[in-house]
Amino acid sequence: MIRMVGTRLASSTLTIFILVTMVFFMVHLTPGGPAYSILGMKATAASVAELNQRLGLDQPIIEQYGIWWWHLLHGQLGYSYLLSRPVGELLWQYEINTLVFYTVSIVVSTLLSILIGLVQGVYFGRWPAKLIGGLQLAFYALPAFFVAAMLVLWFSVQLKILPASGITNLRLADPGVGSYAAHLVLPVTTITLLTVASLSRYFGEAVHEELGKDYVRTARAKGVGFPAILFGHVLRNALRPLVTILGLSFPYIFTGGVIVESVFNYPGLGWLMWRSALSQDYPILIAIVLLIGILTVVGNLLADLVNGLLDPRASYE
Amino acid sequence: MLGRAHRMKILAFFLAAALVWPIAARAADPHDCGTVIVPANADITSFSPLFANALANGQAAEVMYENLIWIDRHAQIDWSRSLVTAITASDDGTTYDVTLRPWHWSDGTLVTSADVLYGFKLIKELGTTYPGYGQGGMPDIIKSLTATDATHFRVVLTHPANPTWFIYEGLSQLTPLPSHDWSRYNIDQLWQLQTTPSFYKTIDGPLRLERFDIGRDAVYVPNPAFDGPKVKFSRFIFTFIEGDGVAVQQIEAGNIDVSGLPTEFYSGVQHIPGVRIEQIAPQASYDYLGLNLKNSKVAFFRDVRVRDAMADSQDQKKFIQVVLHGLGYEVHGPVTPANLAFEAPQLQRGDYPTGYDPAKARALLKAAGFTPGPDGIMQKDGQRLSFVVLTATGSTEGDEMIEFIQADLRAVGIEMKVHEVEFNQMLAIMNGPADGWEAADSGMFSNGYPSGEGLFATGAYLNNGGYSDKTMDQLINDSVNKPGLSALYAYEIYASAQQPVIFGASPAPVLLVSDRLHGVYDFYGPGGLLDPTKLYCTSDGGTES
């Protein structure tokens, strides 16, 4: 296992290096630049040149690239051109919000998916499973922004029972945990509805497949009760593909969904990445890409390790 | 059993959250505004008056730092709101003696001439990166700035200037900054501190920045030491909301007190409970179609007859009725709707050299040698009268406007294709190689005096299209250097005839306002200035007094 982890980390480092290098050059070669965002309407060639000089953006791109790595090796992610804050500080500030939002979303989605998938697997071919399958397809087809907008219209605008945006009630000087939780409900519901649609389908298929295997028939023949088979054996085995999918979605826990965070004005990393891309705030953008790369590798690795624990027969090679 | 237990927990979470929020969100004392929440039109990236590159940043700064000169909605100086009580200009317009109002910083020290000098020193250090660089000749036009005493200072210009122009466009940019607090920092440190709330502790405006959540909310509290009228709320929040429609939803949900009203939403928001539509003072801005006269691919723009034909093709009245729901102003020259006090009498009577007349537009194109091609688009020597306009992405309102302009142009045989890019990319392209763009959907913002030295003078800092005309240069030169308004009027009439850019109708600012909040009309100044002291609330959500 140690060998597998070592090999995986080595190849992943190369992948991340290539990813960051590509993004660095791509964002620097696109027209515009942060100077235009900073100077606004009155940006002129002279003022842009002067500002670029101050920001170090007049240096050859290869030199800027080298400086970026040099800073990274010294533990610095750079300084946001537009927001005038260290990138590390900004990332941390937004990361906390994203972490809470997506951890709650993934936990809720996973539990619901297991529940629904179990029903779908057990009742495969019969009307409860068909109904669930129809709903899964319907929700899977819905775009995130549509679901988010509908939830806002119903629960915030019409019923006025849930807040539509932000992370706390701005009207209160000390909003407290209740306000924070309330502001999470609609974004979490959006992510949950969309995630459960796909996740529960995978899990339902896995449960159905496991139920048809020889060990289930053998257990039944030996008189083991169906609940014991389902929760004692099938659930554990069917979880493996789910874990792999969750591992792949691990980066989203940290980077967030641009669309959902934008609709709900939720200050997460996805939102920050979107704003940084628009204003070409390179240091933030590249730092987030680096983070995504690292988390993708970590997520995959964790999924493999958990799968190994769930099924000792799983090969690490 | 496992699934059921978790399902119950999830249900409990949602139920608790749904129950907690309405309790937590209970309104404050109905006789007090409590917290007033206003959307910023963009995310705030600076609170420093020195680095205010956009409207949102300017507003975020100027609620903390008083302006030297306050221009009212009639384009006149409001002396009661200005930090100066008197300005005396020499006959030749070279020397200006300014008297400061007795005013205090939040730490009790007097706002002095030294603070004005300090602000100017920083502007000079910023050079061309100062966002107001070039406007009103700033800062290069000032030969010397000296403090006569604590509340008097003298400005000497490098050459004689029209006093009205310099006071409105140049002097108005001088903002006193707390030299006793800030002078320990150099300009680079000030740059790095521009979003740090604790840095802005010494202020002279009505509000103090308490907290800033980057990209989201700027939370202000009243400045207890403010020398002006006290504000009538306990907190003021600028919140950044992405997207036109989201802000409308936010005010419907009661989360904010004011929202912009994009034209495409106008019909659907007439009767929102607890929310009213309010038109505020016209803004000191207008939209225009910038033309690249340097680009040989669209050399036809250099012919004034083509430019006039483009202007004559535009049915601004219909545009205002259809696209702006009747809420807009016709603009045929370089005077913004808020600067009408400075408009030439001839133009005030509606006697513009250009205006909607498709027949005249076609005649002008014919006179310029263009004939209709097989597809109806005019052509000359094999070149079609066709160009590509750059527009900034993200605004449905802007899309509708550009489509209307496109249709009017096509009606006289001019083809306009649209290419959407991000705003900063558009600016970069316009400042790039001459053949990189053909036209751009842009806008202009004025401090109050509608002069053209930054727009249409040869080599002017905003003259991206490279327009150059000796008569225009002379008229602009006269309007900013000679006293009186006759040169300005002549410039306005000539610019309207020349159409160095194609002037376009300007939307009237219309807002959705929570019924509890009043004074919004006076809160928003025409130049984008905000006066938080004008806001107040009523418990019954009654009508404006």
Side-chain angles (χ1 to χ4, degrees):
Chain A
M1 187 172 78
I2 293 168
R3 189 177 160 202
M4 180 278 284
V5 172
T7 311
R8 186 72 70 82
L9 285 178
S11 64
S12 300
T13 304
L14 181 66
T15 308
I16 291 168
F17 177 80
I18 293 169
L19 175 73
V20 169
T21 303
M22 277 173 58
V23 171
F24 187 95
F25 284 97
M26 279 166 68
V27 296
H28 278 78
L29 291 174
T30 47
Y36 287 98
S37 301
I38 293 166
L39 293 167
M41 271 298 288
K42 292 179 179 173
T44 63
S47 60
V48 168
E50 193 172 329
L51 190 56
N52 278 341
Q53 188 183 17
R54 193 193 301 167
L55 298 175
L57 291 167
D58 61 333
Q59 303 296 317
I61 189 167
I62 196 76
E63 200 170 310
Q64 293 181 49
Y65 178 68
I67 291 169
W68 187 83
W69 276 108
W70 180 254
H71 284 161
L72 186 68
L73 292 171
H74 288 79
Q76 294 168 7
L77 286 166
Y79 206 84
S80 163
Y81 299 134
L82 215 67
L83 302 173
S84 308
R85 294 275 174 93
V87 171
E89 181 191 319
L90 281 169
L91 248 56
W92 178 244
Q93 185 184 331
Y94 281 78
E95 182 59 64
I96 291 290
N97 296 333
T98 295
L99 194 64
V100 172
F101 172 24
Y102 281 89
T103 303
V104 174
S105 301
I106 293 291
V107 168
V108 173
S109 302
T110 306
L111 295 176
L112 275 177
S113 297
I114 291 172
L115 183 74
I116 294 167
L118 280 174
V119 174
Q120 195 175 17
V122 170
Y123 289 94
F124 191 83
R126 283 179 278 171
W127 73 264
K130 285 178 180 170
L131 178 66
I132 289 170
L135 287 172
Q136 283 166 336
L137 274 179
F139 276 104
Y140 192 73
L142 289 175
F145 72 86
F146 176 79
V147 174
M150 288 300 109
L151 289 174
V152 168
L153 284 174
W154 290 333
F155 293 101
S156 302
V157 176
Q158 292 296 320
L159 300 172
K160 295 188 188 298
I161 57 170
L162 286 168
S165 80
I167 54 171
T168 54
N169 185 352
L170 290 174
R171 295 198 189 281
L172 303 173
D174 184 18
V177 179
S179 177
Y180 193 90
H183 281 76
L184 268 178
V185 174
L186 291 185
V188 165
T189 305
T190 306
I191 293 287
T192 302
L193 285 174
L194 300 172
T195 310
V196 166
S198 59
L199 218 54
S200 62
R201 196 171 177 83
Y202 283 117
F203 188 65
E205 289 285 341
V207 169
H208 169 65
E209 201 176 307
E210 291 296 324
L211 284 172
K213 287 188 174 171
D214 290 344
Y215 74 88
V216 173
R217 275 199 293 273
T218 308
R220 275 185 163 176
K222 286 188 171 183
V224 181
F226 184 70
I229 296 172
L230 189 65
F231 295 110
H233 302 283
V234 170
L235 178 64
R236 184 189 173 103
N237 291 333
L239 273 177
R240 280 194 61 199
L242 198 67
V243 169
T244 305
I245 294 165
L246 279 174
L248 288 171
S249 65
F250 190 66
Y252 292 103
I253 293 176
F254 295 88
T255 57
V258 171
I259 293 170
V260 176
E261 289 185 358
S262 291
V263 172
F264 291 105
N265 211 26
Y266 191 88
L269 272 188
W271 188 90
L272 182 66
M273 184 167 69
W274 173 243
R275 298 300 306 168
S276 306
L278 291 184
S279 56
Q280 292 176 284
D281 202 342
Y282 308 141
I284 297 181
L285 203 54
I286 297 164
I288 295 178
V289 169
L290 177 70
L291 186 66
I292 293 171
I294 291 170
L295 293 173
T296 306
V297 170
V298 171
N300 276 314
L301 201 56
L302 280 178
D304 284 351
L305 294 175
V306 172
N307 269 332
L309 292 176
L310 286 172
D311 184 358
R313 294 170 303 170
S315 169
Y316 286 120
E317 298 309 320
Chain B
M1 291 305 289
L2 184 73
R4 174 178 286 186
H6 279 271
R7 189 171 57 179
M8 291 311 291
K9 282 181 188 172
I10 293 158
L11 282 173
F13 168 78
F14 282 105
L15 195 61
L19 287 171
V20 165
W21 185 76
I23 297 165
R26 200 161 43 204
D29 177 5
H31 296 283
D32 178 1
C33 280
T35 302
V36 173
I37 305 175
V38 171
N41 76 333
D43 49 343
I44 295 166
T45 55
S46 178
F47 293 89
S48 172
L50 285 171
F51 309 121
N53 61 330
L55 185 62
N57 290 347
Q59 292 175 336
E62 62 98 3
V63 295
M64 294 191 289
Y65 296 95
E66 288 289 279
N67 286 278
L68 208 59
I69 297 166
W70 184 280
I71 311 290
D72 70 13
R73 62 172 48 92
H74 307 295
Q76 302 300 314
I77 296 174
D78 181 349
W79 295 100
S80 68
R81 283 292 284 118
S82 301
L83 267 188
V84 298
T85 54
I87 303 168
T88 311
S90 64
D91 288 343
D92 67 351
T94 308
T95 306
Y96 298 79
D97 288 309
V98 184
T99 305
L100 286 174
R101 179 185 302 281
W103 203 259
H104 295 87
W105 294 109
S106 49
D107 61 4
T109 57
L110 195 67
V111 175
T112 65
S113 306
D115 297 322
V116 179
L117 267 60
Y118 174 68
F120 179 64
K121 172 183 157 282
L122 295 176
I123 288 174
K124 284 213 309 188
E125 277 185 47
L126 282 172
T128 58
T129 59
Y130 168 60
Y133 182 81
Q135 186 172 329
M138 288 292 281
D140 300 335
I141 196 171
I142 295 182
K143 183 179 172 187
S144 68
L145 180 61
T146 50
T148 316
D149 60 35
T151 54
H152 296 81
F153 64 90
R154 170 171 283 189
V155 183
V156 180
L157 305 187
T158 53
H159 57 80
N162 179 330
T164 311
W165 167 75
F166 177 68
I167 291 168
Y168 276 69
E169 297 291 294
L171 193 64
S172 65
Q173 292 187 49
L174 294 178
T175 301
L177 296 173
S179 55
H180 62 287
D181 184 19
W182 286 22
S183 55
R184 62 198 140 119
Y185 303 106
N186 63 34
I187 197 76
D188 289 333
Q189 288 170 318
L190 291 175
W191 176 273
Q192 293 191 343
L193 288 164
Q194 62 181 313
T195 57
T196 305
S198 58
F199 172 70
Y200 300 100
K201 61 181 186 295
T202 310
I203 51 169
D204 65 345
L207 302 179
R208 177 174 64 78
L209 183 63
E210 184 186 56
R211 200 183 81 223
F212 177 47
D213 301 320
I214 286 180
R216 198 157 50 95
D217 313 310
V219 181
Y220 297 85
V221 292
N223 168 13
F226 180 55
D227 282 338
K230 300 299 174 199
V231 296
K232 301 164 195 76
F233 47 78
S234 56
R235 292 196 314 155
F236 179 89
I237 300 176
F238 274 127
T239 187
F240 173 55
I241 297 170
E242 183 100 47
D244 296 338
V246 180
V248 175
Q249 283 180 349
Q250 295 295 315
I251 196 162
E252 280 190 82
N255 294 342
I256 55 176
D257 293 302
V258 178
S259 157
L261 176 48
T263 53
E264 69 267 27
F265 286 89
Y266 190 76
S267 309
V269 295
Q270 295 293 316
H271 304 292
I272 301 174
V275 175
R276 67 179 186 278
I277 295 173
E278 192 164 324
Q279 186 173 343
I280 58 171
Q283 299 294 291
S285 63
Y286 56 75
D287 294 331
Y288 63 73
L289 208 61
L291 309 174
N292 187 358
L293 278 65
K294 295 180 289 188
N295 188 343
S296 55
K297 279 190 281 187
V298 285
F300 46 75
F301 285 149
R302 295 171 193 159
D303 189 332
V304 67
R305 291 169 295 189
V306 172
R307 299 197 302 269
D308 279 355
M310 291 172 72
D312 290 338
S313 74
Q314 296 302 301
D315 189 349
Q316 292 199 18
K317 278 192 174 63
K318 194 173 168 189
F319 177 90
I320 291 167
Q321 285 306 316
V322 175
V323 180
L324 305 179
H325 300 275
L327 301 166
Y329 306 89
E330 288 190 47
V331 176
H332 299 282
V335 183
T336 75
N339 301 140
L340 294 178
F342 285 116
E343 192 171 45
Q346 175 194 325
L347 303 180
Q348 284 189 24
R349 291 193 298 271
D351 184 11
Y352 288 95
T354 52
Y356 181 56
D357 189 343
K360 186 181 155 208
R362 287 189 204 96
L364 280 167
L365 293 176
K366 189 179 174 187
F370 286 92
T371 53
D375 58 353
I377 300 301
M378 294 287 188
Q379 57 181 17
K380 180 182 172 183
D381 302 330
Q383 187 187 11
R384 296 170 81 247
L385 194 43
S386 172
F387 64 96
V388 178
V389 65
L390 297 174
T391 66
T393 55
S395 165
T396 312
E397 188 175 80
D399 292 345
E400 283 181 2
M401 289 179 185
I402 214 77
E403 281 169 18
F404 199 95
I405 294 168
Q406 197 175 30
D408 273 355
L409 285 170
R410 184 160 185 101
V412 299
I414 302 172
E415 183 181 54
M416 183 175 81
K417 297 171 186 166
V418 181
H419 178 48
E420 285 196 358
V421 289
E422 283 303 323
F423 182 66
N424 57 344
Q425 288 184 359
M426 186 167 101
L427 294 176
I429 294 168
M430 289 169 72
N431 281 287
D435 60 354
W437 63 287
E438 297 175 356
D441 179 29
S442 193
M444 179 268 179
F445 208 83
S446 158
N447 270 13
Y449 186 87
S451 53
E453 79 280 5
L455 289 167
F456 308 130
T458 300
Y461 59 97
L462 288 177
N463 187 357
N464 304 96
Y467 173 82
S468 179
D469 181 89
K470 281 181 183 167
T471 307
M472 182 72 86
D473 287 345
Q474 187 58 52
L475 290 171
I476 288 172
N477 197 44
D478 290 349
S479 71
V480 300
N481 292 330
K482 291 181 179 173
L485 295 175
S486 57
L488 178 72
Y489 293 160
Y491 151 73
E492 291 169 0
I493 293 165
Y494 190 70
S496 182
Q498 278 281 302
Q499 298 283 317
V501 296
I502 309 304
F503 299 101
S506 174
V510 186
L511 301 173
L512 290 171
V513 183
S514 162
D515 274 346
R516 77 186 190 106
L517 188 68
H518 301 274
V520 174
Y521 184 83
D522 293 321
F523 169 64
Y524 285 103
L529 299 177
L530 299 178
D531 187 352
T533 65
K534 300 294 187 196
L535 293 174
Y536 65 97
C537 288
T538 55
S539 55
D540 58 355
T543 53
E544 195 84 15
S545 62

